[in-house]
Amino acid sequence: MSTVAAYAAIEPRRDRESFSISDLSAEFDVTPRALRFYEDEGLISPERRGTARIYSHRDRARLAWILRGKRVGFSLGEIREMIDLYDVGDGRNTQRAVTIDRCRQRIALLEAQKRDIDAAIAELDDFVALLDTNPHPKDA
């Protein structure tokens, strides 16, 4: 299993040599249009046989990576940088290190946003409680 597949927690498909656009659309619950978009963006590179797109195991693993990255808020540019590091040729050490760093940065950002959201909710709860106990403030 490639590291991309391992990072994306996707099981290899040893029963298949390749995948059609319909196969991947169904498996990942994405539209064919989304797959064509990722192809246009250079994130996946299916082989062409006439007008048919034939996706490799590598394309499938990259798609899993793309979708996971999107779910956690990475931009397509950030995702591209991380998955392209697979080809650096250093045993995926750079890819692993960069991805871990980016994930930790994203976690820190989300934790800060969560604290801000929790503080805003608490402030709103206090405000509602104040309004509930004093429905007709004289100084408002």
Side-chain angles (χ1 to χ4, degrees):
M1 175 183 349
S2 75
T3 299
V4 173
Y7 285 161
I10 182 174
E11 293 296 319
R13 294 282 308 267
R14 303 199 194 293
D15 62 324
R16 308 282 307 263
E17 289 295 317
S18 61
F19 307 90
S20 70
I21 197 167
S22 299
D23 294 334
L24 293 185
S25 293
E27 180 178 356
F28 291 99
D29 194 26
V30 296
T31 64
R33 182 177 179 196
L35 292 174
R36 290 189 297 271
F37 173 76
Y38 297 139
E39 180 184 353
D40 290 343
E41 291 294 312
L43 295 167
I44 55 178
S45 303
E47 177 186 333
R48 293 297 191 103
R49 292 186 193 151
T51 59
R53 289 171 168 84
I54 308 299
Y55 295 89
S56 66
H57 287 274
R58 178 184 172 92
D59 291 319
R60 181 175 173 267
R62 287 175 71 101
L63 179 60
W65 183 293
I66 293 162
L67 297 175
R68 173 170 276 182
K70 283 186 57 191
R71 275 194 309 273
V72 299
F74 288 119
S75 70
L76 287 182
E78 291 168 320
I79 293 166
R80 177 183 294 103
E81 288 174 25
M82 288 184 282
I83 60 177
D84 284 351
L85 290 172
Y86 180 83
D87 297 321
V88 168
D90 67 350
R92 300 175 306 273
N93 291 325
T94 301
Q95 184 188 44
R96 187 175 298 111
V98 168
T99 300
I100 289 169
D101 183 58
R102 292 274 172 87
C103 288
R104 287 182 175 150
Q105 289 175 25
R106 186 80 185 133
I107 289 166
L109 174 67
L110 290 171
E111 286 173 343
Q113 289 174 339
K114 183 180 178 200
R115 285 189 299 274
D116 292 345
I117 290 168
D118 288 343
I121 290 169
E123 181 70 27
L124 287 166
D125 283 341
D126 290 347
F127 191 41
V128 168
L130 175 69
L131 293 172
D132 276 348
T133 59
N134 191 3
H136 304 290
K138 295 177 185 168
D139 297 331

